[in-house]
Amino acid sequence: MHELSIATAVVESADAAARRHGAASVESVRLRVGELAGVVADALRFSFGLAAEGTALAGARLEIEEVPARARCGGCPGDFAVGSPPSLECPGCGRSAAELLTGRELEIAAVTLPEPDAPAGVPPPSLS
Amino acid sequence: MMCRTVDLRHAVLAKNDGLAAELRADLTARGMTAVNLMSSPGSGKTALLERVLTRAGERGVAVAALTADLATENDARRLARSGAPVKQVLTGGLCHLEADQVREHLADWPPRATRALFVENVGNLVCPATYDLGESLRVVLMSVTEGEDKPVKYPTAFGLAHLVVLTKTDLAQPAGFDEEVFADHVERVNPGVEVLRSSARTGEGVDGLLDRVLAACSGVTPHRPVLARQHLERHGHTHAHEHGHEHAPEAESGPEAAPEGPDEAASDVIASPAGQPSDAVLQTVADGS
Ligand SMILES: Nc1nc2c(ncn2[C@@H]2O[C@H](COP(=O)(O)OP(=O)(O)O)[C@@H](O)[C@H]2O)c(=O)[nH]1
Ligand SMILES: [Mg+2]
Ligand SMILES: [Zn+2]
Ligand SMILES: [Zn+2]
Protein backbone atom coordinates (compact mmCIF):
# COMPACT_ATOMS: atom_id res chain seq x y z
CA MET A 1 0.00 0.00 0.00
CA HIS A 2 1.23 3.39 -1.04
CA GLU A 3 0.42 5.20 2.16
CA LEU A 4 2.68 2.81 4.03
CA SER A 5 5.65 4.07 1.99
CA ILE A 6 4.67 7.63 2.75
CA ALA A 7 4.16 6.84 6.42
CA THR A 8 7.55 5.16 6.57
CA ALA A 9 9.19 8.24 5.08
CA VAL A 10 7.38 10.40 7.64
CA VAL A 11 8.54 8.20 10.50
CA GLU A 12 12.15 8.17 9.25
CA SER A 13 12.37 11.88 8.96
CA ALA A 14 10.58 12.64 12.25
CA ASP A 15 12.79 10.07 13.97
CA ALA A 16 15.89 11.78 12.58
CA ALA A 17 14.64 15.15 13.81
CA ALA A 18 13.99 13.73 17.28
CA ARG A 19 17.49 12.33 17.40
CA ARG A 20 19.03 15.59 16.30
CA HIS A 21 17.27 17.23 19.18
CA GLY A 22 18.18 14.57 21.70
CA ALA A 23 14.64 13.31 22.20
CA ALA A 24 13.96 9.62 22.73
CA SER A 25 10.32 9.88 21.81
CA VAL A 26 7.96 12.02 19.81
CA GLU A 27 4.63 13.38 21.06
CA SER A 28 3.16 14.30 17.75
CA VAL A 29 3.86 14.91 14.09
CA ARG A 30 2.04 17.52 12.08
CA LEU A 31 1.68 16.83 8.37
CA ARG A 32 0.38 19.10 5.67
CA VAL A 33 -1.32 17.18 2.89
CA GLY A 34 -2.59 18.95 -0.20
CA GLU A 35 -5.90 18.05 -1.78
CA LEU A 36 -4.01 17.09 -4.96
CA ALA A 37 -1.10 15.34 -3.28
CA GLY A 38 -2.53 11.97 -4.23
CA VAL A 39 -2.60 10.73 -0.65
CA VAL A 40 -5.60 9.45 1.28
CA ALA A 41 -5.53 10.87 4.80
CA ASP A 42 -7.35 7.96 6.46
CA ALA A 43 -5.11 5.37 4.87
CA LEU A 44 -2.12 7.41 5.94
CA ARG A 45 -3.35 7.54 9.55
CA PHE A 46 -3.74 3.79 9.57
CA SER A 47 -0.31 3.20 8.05
CA PHE A 48 1.36 5.65 10.38
CA GLY A 49 0.53 3.49 13.38
CA LEU A 50 2.14 0.49 11.68
CA ALA A 51 5.22 2.35 10.51
CA ALA A 52 5.76 3.90 13.95
CA GLU A 53 5.88 0.59 15.82
CA GLY A 54 9.24 -0.06 17.39
CA THR A 55 10.57 3.45 16.68
CA ALA A 56 10.77 6.70 18.64
CA LEU A 57 7.46 7.51 17.00
CA ALA A 58 5.58 4.65 18.67
CA GLY A 59 2.41 6.08 20.17
CA ALA A 60 2.94 9.48 18.57
CA ARG A 61 -0.08 11.41 17.40
CA LEU A 62 -0.41 12.19 13.72
CA GLU A 63 -2.09 15.49 12.97
CA ILE A 64 -3.03 15.96 9.35
CA GLU A 65 -3.73 19.41 8.08
CA GLU A 66 -5.49 19.15 4.75
CA VAL A 67 -4.58 21.94 2.39
CA PRO A 68 -7.21 22.86 -0.19
CA ALA A 69 -6.08 23.27 -3.78
CA ARG A 70 -6.14 26.82 -5.09
CA ALA A 71 -4.96 28.12 -8.41
CA ARG A 72 -4.07 31.52 -9.80
CA CYS A 73 -5.92 32.46 -12.95
CA GLY A 74 -3.92 33.17 -16.10
CA GLY A 75 -6.55 35.50 -17.50
CA CYS A 76 -7.80 37.66 -14.66
CA PRO A 77 -6.30 38.81 -11.38
CA GLY A 78 -8.25 36.27 -9.35
CA ASP A 79 -7.44 33.00 -7.71
CA PHE A 80 -9.92 30.22 -7.13
CA ALA A 81 -10.59 26.88 -5.46
CA VAL A 82 -9.79 23.98 -7.76
CA GLY A 83 -12.66 22.12 -6.14
CA SER A 84 -13.91 18.59 -6.46
CA PRO A 85 -14.09 17.25 -9.10
CA PRO A 86 -11.08 19.39 -9.84
CA SER A 87 -11.00 22.01 -12.55
CA LEU A 88 -8.19 24.39 -13.38
CA GLU A 89 -10.56 26.56 -15.39
CA CYS A 90 -11.27 29.89 -13.72
CA PRO A 91 -14.94 30.15 -12.71
CA GLY A 92 -14.66 33.94 -13.11
CA CYS A 93 -13.38 34.31 -16.66
CA GLY A 94 -13.15 30.79 -18.07
CA ARG A 95 -9.41 30.95 -18.74
CA SER A 96 -6.95 28.34 -17.53
CA ALA A 97 -4.93 28.63 -14.39
CA ALA A 98 -1.40 29.92 -14.69
CA GLU A 99 -0.19 28.06 -11.65
CA LEU A 100 -1.28 26.05 -8.69
CA LEU A 101 -0.89 28.07 -5.48
CA THR A 102 -1.55 25.30 -2.97
CA GLY A 103 -2.71 21.71 -3.04
CA ARG A 104 0.29 19.48 -3.70
CA GLU A 105 1.87 19.77 -0.26
CA LEU A 106 3.13 16.61 1.32
CA GLU A 107 5.34 17.78 4.10
CA ILE A 108 6.11 17.38 7.74
CA ALA A 109 5.28 20.76 9.19
CA ALA A 110 6.56 20.08 12.69
CA VAL A 111 7.26 17.51 15.34
CA THR A 112 6.51 17.99 19.02
CA LEU A 113 9.09 16.52 21.35
CA PRO A 114 9.07 16.11 25.12
CA GLU A 115 11.37 18.48 27.01
CA PRO A 116 14.71 16.83 27.58
CA ASP A 117 15.07 15.04 30.92
CA ALA A 118 17.24 16.40 33.67
CA PRO A 119 20.93 16.10 32.81
CA ALA A 120 22.30 12.61 33.27
CA GLY A 121 24.10 11.99 36.55
CA VAL A 122 21.79 14.12 38.68
CA PRO A 123 19.77 11.69 40.80
CA PRO A 124 16.05 12.35 41.12
CA PRO A 125 15.12 14.04 44.41
CA SER A 126 14.55 11.51 47.14
CA LEU A 127 11.11 11.33 48.69
CA SER A 128 12.22 10.08 52.09
CA MET B 1 5.08 17.50 30.70
CA MET B 2 6.60 20.38 28.83
CA CYS B 3 6.90 20.01 25.13
CA ARG B 4 8.75 21.80 22.41
CA THR B 5 7.79 21.99 18.80
CA VAL B 6 10.39 21.66 16.13
CA ASP B 7 9.36 23.30 12.91
CA LEU B 8 10.58 21.22 9.99
CA ARG B 9 8.76 22.07 6.76
CA HIS B 10 10.35 18.97 5.36
CA ALA B 11 9.00 17.46 2.15
CA VAL B 12 8.08 13.87 2.96
CA LEU B 13 9.39 12.63 -0.36
CA ALA B 14 12.51 14.80 -0.33
CA LYS B 15 14.73 11.72 -0.36
CA ASN B 16 13.09 10.28 -3.46
CA ASP B 17 12.98 13.70 -5.12
CA GLY B 18 16.68 14.22 -4.46
CA LEU B 19 17.59 10.80 -5.83
CA ALA B 20 15.42 11.36 -8.88
CA ALA B 21 17.10 14.69 -9.60
CA GLU B 22 20.52 13.03 -9.34
CA LEU B 23 19.41 10.22 -11.59
CA ARG B 24 18.10 12.66 -14.19
CA ALA B 25 21.43 14.49 -14.23
CA ASP B 26 23.33 11.21 -14.40
CA LEU B 27 21.23 9.98 -17.32
CA THR B 28 21.66 13.28 -19.13
CA ALA B 29 25.41 12.95 -18.72
CA ARG B 30 25.13 9.51 -20.29
CA GLY B 31 23.16 10.94 -23.21
CA MET B 32 20.00 9.17 -22.12
CA THR B 33 16.45 10.28 -21.41
CA ALA B 34 14.02 8.36 -19.25
CA VAL B 35 10.33 8.14 -20.07
CA ASN B 36 7.92 7.18 -17.30
CA LEU B 37 4.81 5.34 -18.52
CA MET B 38 1.87 5.25 -16.13
CA SER B 39 -1.61 3.85 -16.37
CA SER B 40 -4.11 1.57 -14.70
CA PRO B 41 -3.46 -2.15 -15.16
CA GLY B 42 -4.50 -3.34 -18.60
CA SER B 43 -4.55 0.03 -20.35
CA GLY B 44 -2.13 -1.28 -22.91
CA LYS B 45 1.27 0.03 -21.78
CA THR B 46 3.13 -3.16 -22.64
CA ALA B 47 1.38 -3.69 -25.97
CA LEU B 48 2.06 -0.13 -27.13
CA LEU B 49 5.59 -0.14 -25.79
CA GLU B 50 6.39 -3.34 -27.64
CA ARG B 51 5.43 -1.66 -30.88
CA VAL B 52 7.32 1.53 -30.06
CA LEU B 53 10.48 -0.44 -29.26
CA THR B 54 10.15 -2.39 -32.50
CA ARG B 55 9.58 0.79 -34.49
CA ALA B 56 12.60 2.42 -32.87
CA GLY B 57 14.70 -0.52 -34.05
CA GLU B 58 13.41 -0.03 -37.59
CA ARG B 59 14.22 3.65 -37.41
CA GLY B 60 17.70 2.95 -36.10
CA VAL B 61 17.16 4.53 -32.69
CA ALA B 62 18.70 2.78 -29.69
CA VAL B 63 16.13 2.38 -26.94
CA ALA B 64 15.69 0.16 -23.90
CA ALA B 65 12.93 -0.67 -21.45
CA LEU B 66 12.64 -1.31 -17.75
CA THR B 67 9.35 -2.84 -16.78
CA ALA B 68 7.84 -3.14 -13.35
CA ASP B 69 5.58 -5.99 -12.58
CA LEU B 70 4.20 -7.18 -9.30
CA ALA B 71 5.28 -10.77 -9.66
CA THR B 72 5.66 -12.10 -13.15
CA GLU B 73 8.12 -11.58 -15.96
CA ASN B 74 5.50 -11.74 -18.69
CA ASP B 75 5.82 -8.10 -19.68
CA ALA B 76 9.59 -8.31 -19.96
CA ARG B 77 9.26 -11.35 -22.21
CA ARG B 78 6.73 -9.60 -24.42
CA LEU B 79 8.89 -6.48 -24.70
CA ALA B 80 12.05 -8.45 -25.43
CA ARG B 81 10.44 -9.70 -28.65
CA SER B 82 11.19 -6.25 -30.06
CA GLY B 83 14.91 -6.95 -29.87
CA ALA B 84 15.56 -4.00 -27.55
CA PRO B 85 17.38 -4.53 -24.24
CA VAL B 86 14.76 -5.13 -21.56
CA LYS B 87 14.99 -5.54 -17.82
CA GLN B 88 12.38 -6.47 -15.28
CA VAL B 89 12.02 -4.80 -11.89
CA LEU B 90 10.21 -7.08 -9.50
CA THR B 91 8.56 -4.76 -7.03
CA GLY B 92 7.60 -7.50 -4.61
CA GLY B 93 4.09 -6.21 -4.21
CA LEU B 94 4.92 -2.52 -3.98
CA CYS B 95 2.31 -0.56 -5.85
CA HIS B 96 4.66 1.96 -7.47
CA LEU B 97 8.27 2.41 -8.49
CA GLU B 98 10.65 4.63 -6.56
CA ALA B 99 13.77 6.35 -7.85
CA ASP B 100 16.19 4.08 -5.97
CA GLN B 101 14.69 0.96 -7.55
CA VAL B 102 15.20 2.43 -10.98
CA ARG B 103 18.72 3.55 -10.16
CA GLU B 104 19.66 0.07 -8.96
CA HIS B 105 19.20 -1.24 -12.45
CA LEU B 106 21.14 1.45 -14.21
CA ALA B 107 24.68 0.95 -12.94
CA ASP B 108 25.99 -0.80 -16.09
CA TRP B 109 22.83 -0.95 -18.05
CA PRO B 110 21.44 -0.18 -20.63
CA PRO B 111 24.12 -0.17 -23.35
CA ARG B 112 25.92 3.12 -23.76
CA ALA B 113 24.41 4.09 -27.09
CA THR B 114 20.88 4.03 -25.65
CA ARG B 115 19.07 7.31 -26.16
CA ALA B 116 15.69 6.61 -24.60
CA LEU B 117 14.96 4.46 -21.60
CA PHE B 118 11.29 3.59 -21.21
CA VAL B 119 10.12 2.77 -17.71
CA GLU B 120 6.82 0.91 -17.55
CA ASN B 121 5.55 1.78 -14.07
CA VAL B 122 3.37 -0.48 -11.93
CA GLY B 123 -0.22 -0.47 -13.17
CA ASN B 124 -1.76 2.08 -10.84
CA LEU B 125 -2.83 5.70 -11.25
CA VAL B 126 -2.61 6.78 -7.63
CA CYS B 127 0.81 6.64 -6.07
CA PRO B 128 3.16 6.38 -9.05
CA ALA B 129 2.13 9.97 -9.70
CA THR B 130 3.89 11.22 -6.55
CA TYR B 131 7.20 9.48 -7.21
CA ASP B 132 9.63 11.15 -9.57
CA LEU B 133 11.79 8.47 -11.21
CA GLY B 134 14.28 10.80 -12.84
CA GLU B 135 12.30 10.89 -16.06
CA SER B 136 12.29 13.81 -18.47
CA LEU B 137 9.05 12.79 -20.08
CA ARG B 138 6.08 11.57 -18.08
CA VAL B 139 3.37 9.86 -20.10
CA VAL B 140 -0.03 8.91 -18.69
CA LEU B 141 -2.01 6.41 -20.72
CA MET B 142 -5.64 5.45 -20.65
CA SER B 143 -7.70 3.20 -22.88
CA VAL B 144 -11.04 3.96 -24.49
CA THR B 145 -12.75 1.42 -22.25
CA GLU B 146 -11.96 3.24 -19.02
CA GLY B 147 -14.50 6.06 -19.09
CA GLU B 148 -14.16 9.66 -20.24
CA ASP B 149 -14.01 11.08 -16.72
CA LYS B 150 -10.97 9.15 -15.56
CA PRO B 151 -8.73 12.25 -15.70
CA VAL B 152 -10.78 14.07 -13.05
CA LYS B 153 -10.89 10.92 -10.91
CA TYR B 154 -7.08 10.74 -10.97
CA PRO B 155 -6.20 14.43 -11.16
CA THR B 156 -2.69 14.09 -9.76
CA ALA B 157 -1.63 11.52 -12.35
CA PHE B 158 -3.24 13.27 -15.32
CA GLY B 159 -2.43 16.70 -13.97
CA LEU B 160 1.30 16.05 -13.90
CA ALA B 161 1.57 14.37 -17.31
CA HIS B 162 3.75 15.87 -20.03
CA LEU B 163 1.78 13.86 -22.54
CA VAL B 164 -1.50 11.95 -22.37
CA VAL B 165 -1.89 8.89 -24.58
CA LEU B 166 -5.29 7.47 -25.39
CA THR B 167 -4.88 3.76 -26.13
CA LYS B 168 -6.92 1.10 -27.91
CA THR B 169 -8.52 3.62 -30.27
CA ASP B 170 -9.42 0.65 -32.50
CA LEU B 171 -12.09 -0.02 -29.87
CA ALA B 172 -13.32 3.57 -29.57
CA GLN B 173 -16.45 3.01 -31.64
CA PRO B 174 -17.67 -0.22 -30.11
CA ALA B 175 -16.94 1.25 -26.68
CA GLY B 176 -18.89 4.40 -27.51
CA PHE B 177 -16.04 6.50 -26.25
CA ASP B 178 -16.66 10.24 -26.48
CA GLU B 179 -13.32 11.82 -27.27
CA GLU B 180 -14.56 15.38 -26.92
CA VAL B 181 -15.77 14.79 -23.40
CA PHE B 182 -12.49 13.06 -22.62
CA ALA B 183 -10.43 15.94 -24.03
CA ASP B 184 -12.47 18.34 -21.93
CA HIS B 185 -11.75 16.38 -18.76
CA VAL B 186 -8.05 16.25 -19.56
CA GLU B 187 -8.05 19.99 -20.15
CA ARG B 188 -9.65 20.60 -16.74
CA VAL B 189 -6.77 19.03 -14.85
CA ASN B 190 -3.94 19.74 -17.27
CA PRO B 191 -4.65 22.71 -19.54
CA GLY B 192 -2.68 22.60 -22.76
CA VAL B 193 -1.39 19.04 -22.52
CA GLU B 194 -1.34 17.09 -25.77
CA VAL B 195 -3.53 14.01 -26.15
CA LEU B 196 -2.11 11.44 -28.54
CA ARG B 197 -4.36 8.70 -29.97
CA SER B 198 -2.85 5.26 -30.25
CA SER B 199 -3.62 1.65 -30.95
CA ALA B 200 -1.31 -1.28 -30.59
CA ARG B 201 -3.61 -3.10 -33.01
CA THR B 202 -3.57 -0.65 -35.92
CA GLY B 203 -0.25 0.99 -35.10
CA GLU B 204 -1.82 4.43 -34.80
CA GLY B 205 0.30 6.76 -32.70
CA VAL B 206 3.34 4.49 -32.56
CA ASP B 207 5.52 6.83 -34.61
CA GLY B 208 3.89 9.80 -32.90
CA LEU B 209 4.88 8.59 -29.46
CA LEU B 210 8.40 7.79 -30.61
CA ASP B 211 8.67 11.28 -32.12
CA ARG B 212 7.62 12.90 -28.82
CA VAL B 213 10.20 10.81 -27.00
CA LEU B 214 12.95 11.69 -29.46
CA ALA B 215 12.08 15.35 -29.12
CA ALA B 216 12.56 15.06 -25.36
CA CYS B 217 15.84 13.25 -26.01
CA SER B 218 17.11 16.14 -28.08
CA GLY B 219 16.35 18.51 -25.26
CA VAL B 220 13.02 19.98 -26.37
CA THR B 221 11.29 21.13 -23.21
CA PRO B 222 8.06 19.20 -22.77
CA HIS B 223 4.72 20.73 -21.86
CA ARG B 224 4.75 22.20 -18.38
CA PRO B 225 1.62 21.17 -16.43
CA VAL B 226 -0.08 23.75 -14.22
CA LEU B 227 0.12 21.26 -11.35
CA ALA B 228 3.89 21.15 -11.70
CA ARG B 229 4.00 24.90 -11.35
CA GLN B 230 3.43 24.95 -7.62
CA HIS B 231 6.62 25.80 -5.85
CA LEU B 232 7.01 22.94 -3.47
CA GLU B 233 9.32 23.15 -0.56
CA ARG B 234 12.18 20.74 -0.63
CA HIS B 235 14.71 21.84 1.92
CA GLY B 236 13.08 24.86 3.47
CA HIS B 237 15.56 25.61 6.21
CA THR B 238 18.63 25.13 4.05
CA HIS B 239 17.26 27.62 1.62
CA ALA B 240 16.16 29.90 4.40
CA HIS B 241 19.84 29.97 5.26
CA GLU B 242 20.93 30.57 1.74
CA HIS B 243 18.49 33.36 1.29
CA GLY B 244 19.70 35.03 4.39
CA HIS B 245 16.54 34.71 6.42
CA GLU B 246 16.91 34.79 10.11
CA HIS B 247 16.06 31.83 12.18
CA ALA B 248 13.99 32.05 15.28
CA PRO B 249 16.11 33.45 18.06
CA GLU B 250 15.33 30.74 20.59
CA ALA B 251 18.29 28.62 21.43
CA GLU B 252 17.74 24.97 21.95
CA SER B 253 17.64 24.15 25.59
CA GLY B 254 18.35 20.47 25.20
CA PRO B 255 21.59 18.67 24.65
CA GLU B 256 23.52 19.75 21.60
CA ALA B 257 21.97 18.18 18.60
CA ALA B 258 24.29 15.79 16.86
CA PRO B 259 24.33 16.79 13.22
CA GLU B 260 23.52 13.86 10.98
CA GLY B 261 23.14 15.21 7.54
CA PRO B 262 24.67 18.08 5.67
CA ASP B 263 21.47 19.96 5.27
CA GLU B 264 18.93 20.34 7.97
CA ALA B 265 21.09 19.37 10.92
CA ALA B 266 21.17 22.04 13.56
CA SER B 267 19.06 24.35 11.50
CA ASP B 268 15.58 23.21 12.48
CA VAL B 269 13.68 26.00 14.01
CA ILE B 270 12.63 25.55 17.57
CA ALA B 271 9.52 27.24 18.74
CA SER B 272 9.77 26.48 22.39
CA PRO B 273 7.75 25.66 24.32
CA ALA B 274 5.09 24.46 21.93
CA GLY B 275 5.01 27.92 20.47
CA GLN B 276 4.33 29.48 17.11
CA PRO B 277 6.16 28.17 14.12
CA SER B 278 8.64 30.72 12.98
CA ASP B 279 8.08 32.29 9.61
CA ALA B 280 11.78 32.08 9.00
CA VAL B 281 11.27 28.77 7.28
CA LEU B 282 8.32 29.74 5.15
CA GLN B 283 10.60 30.47 2.26
CA THR B 284 9.65 28.22 -0.61
CA VAL B 285 11.81 27.21 -3.49
CA ALA B 286 11.13 26.21 -7.05
CA ASP B 287 10.92 22.48 -7.36
CA GLY B 288 12.82 22.59 -10.57
CA SER B 289 11.10 19.78 -12.36
N1 LIG C 1 -8.04 -3.94 -29.06
C1 LIG C 1 -6.90 -3.61 -28.46
N2 LIG C 1 -6.47 -4.30 -27.40
C2 LIG C 1 -5.32 -3.92 -26.81
C3 LIG C 1 -4.57 -2.82 -27.28
N3 LIG C 1 -3.49 -2.67 -26.48
C4 LIG C 1 -3.54 -3.64 -25.56
N4 LIG C 1 -4.65 -4.41 -25.75
C5 LIG C 1 -5.05 -5.54 -24.92
O1 LIG C 1 -5.28 -5.10 -23.60
C6 LIG C 1 -4.80 -6.03 -22.65
C7 LIG C 1 -3.83 -5.40 -21.68
O2 LIG C 1 -2.72 -4.88 -22.39
P1 LIG C 1 -1.29 -4.68 -21.71
O3 LIG C 1 -0.40 -4.13 -22.75
O4 LIG C 1 -0.86 -5.91 -21.02
O5 LIG C 1 -1.64 -3.56 -20.61
P2 LIG C 1 -0.74 -3.00 -19.41
O6 LIG C 1 -1.20 -3.69 -18.18
O7 LIG C 1 -1.03 -1.54 -19.37
O8 LIG C 1 0.70 -3.27 -19.74
C8 LIG C 1 -4.18 -7.16 -23.46
O9 LIG C 1 -5.12 -8.20 -23.57
C9 LIG C 1 -3.92 -6.54 -24.81
O10 LIG C 1 -3.96 -7.47 -25.86
C10 LIG C 1 -5.05 -2.10 -28.43
O11 LIG C 1 -4.48 -1.13 -28.89
N5 LIG C 1 -6.23 -2.54 -28.97
MG1 LIG D 1 2.25 -4.20 -18.62
ZN1 LIG E 1 2.38 2.84 -4.27
ZN1 LIG F 1 -10.00 34.27 -14.33
Side-chain angles (χ1 to χ4, degrees):
Chain A
M1 185 167 64
H2 165 55
E3 276 74 16
L4 189 55
S5 311
I6 303 275
T8 305
V10 169
V11 166
E12 272 174 22
S13 111
D15 186 63
R19 237 174 302 144
R20 282 199 302 278
H21 293 276
S25 65
V26 174
E27 303 277 313
S28 66
V29 179
R30 199 168 78 242
L31 272 191
R32 299 181 76 235
V33 178
E35 196 177 7
L36 293 176
V39 171
V40 181
D42 282 339
L44 189 56
R45 257 184 219 104
F46 173 76
S47 305
F48 179 76
L50 296 177
E53 265 172 41
T55 75
L57 279 285
R61 227 172 35 248
L62 181 68
E63 293 163 9
I64 298 180
E65 178 193 335
E66 296 187 37
V67 184
R70 292 195 71 79
R72 180 174 66 78
C73 180
C76 72
D79 62 86
F80 58 92
V82 172
S84 181
S87 174
L88 291 167
E89 191 175 278
C90 174
C93 74
R95 299 273 293 275
S96 293
E99 67 173 340
L100 195 70
L101 296 171
T102 57
R104 285 221 296 130
E105 295 76 2
L106 183 52
E107 64 183 22
I108 304 185
V111 293
T112 299
L113 308 172
E115 276 303 338
D117 296 330
V122 179
S126 160
L127 291 176
S128 63
Chain B
M1 178 169 37
M2 292 271 286
C3 287
R4 60 204 162 123
T5 295
V6 178
D7 199 351
L8 289 175
R9 290 300 295 258
H10 182 85
V12 172
L13 297 178
K15 201 162 122 196
N16 184 78
D17 287 349
L19 270 180
E22 276 171 31
L23 189 55
R24 190 158 27 244
D26 177 48
L27 289 174
T28 304
R30 290 159 71 178
M32 216 186 297
T33 297
V35 180
N36 188 350
L37 302 174
M38 271 178 230
S39 80
S40 296
S43 298
K45 293 182 295 303
T46 307
L48 185 61
L49 183 53
E50 183 183 347
R51 291 204 64 151
V52 169
L53 296 176
T54 304
R55 188 74 190 110
E58 291 163 5
R59 285 171 60 175
V61 183
V63 295
L66 195 60
T67 179
D69 206 327
L70 293 175
T72 73
E73 303 206 343
N74 292 343
D75 283 4
R77 260 198 302 276
R78 285 165 64 197
L79 293 175
R81 295 189 300 214
S82 69
V86 174
K87 253 193 179 186
Q88 170 90 36
V89 191
L90 288 176
T91 59
L94 192 64
C95 44
H96 60 268
L97 277 177
E98 299 191 8
D100 60 348
Q101 294 170 302
V102 173
R103 192 180 58 170
E104 246 171 55
H105 290 269
L106 302 185
D108 338 279
W109 188 88
R112 282 178 59 184
T114 306
R115 294 197 64 203
L117 171 69
F118 291 88
V119 182
E120 178 180 348
N121 215 314
V122 181
N124 178 353
L125 274 182
V126 186
C127 43
T130 43
Y131 290 87
D132 185 351
L133 301 182
E135 74 269 17
S136 299
L137 188 68
R138 179 179 283 211
V139 181
V140 173
L141 306 92
M142 173 191 128
S143 71
V144 297
T145 56
E146 296 173 53
E148 294 86 352
D149 58 350
K150 197 146 188 175
V152 293
K153 288 185 180 159
Y154 298 91
T156 313
F158 282 89
L160 290 170
H162 295 132
L163 174 68
V164 172
V165 173
L166 181 66
T167 60
K168 309 191 192 180
T169 52
D170 57 289
L171 299 176
Q173 268 206 316
F177 188 76
D178 190 330
E179 288 189 38
E180 262 179 53
V181 172
F182 171 65
D184 183 56
H185 282 117
V186 171
E187 187 67 15
R188 273 189 221 173
V189 297
N190 196 340
V193 73
E194 183 188 6
V195 176
L196 183 70
R197 308 174 86 252
S198 77
S199 165
R201 286 289 144 83
T202 68
E204 181 183 21
V206 171
D207 271 302
L209 179 53
L210 187 54
D211 289 340
R212 305 307 184 277
V213 169
L214 291 176
C217 290
S218 24
V220 175
T221 314
H223 161 73
R224 197 154 166 255
V226 169
L227 245 60
R229 287 181 231 162
Q230 181 187 349
H231 289 187
L232 287 182
E233 177 125 8
R234 204 170 252 152
H235 299 295
H237 19 262
T238 307
H239 286 269
H241 260 321
E242 288 174 10
H243 295 283
H245 285 239
E246 279 177 19
H247 275 174
E250 287 91 344
E252 191 183 353
S253 54
E256 259 313 299
E260 284 159 347
D263 73 339
E264 63 236 274
S267 62
D268 300 336
V269 172
I270 312 279
S272 180
Q276 303 302 310
S278 157
D279 62 1
V281 287
L282 297 185
Q283 174 83 33
T284 55
V285 297
D287 78 345
S289 59

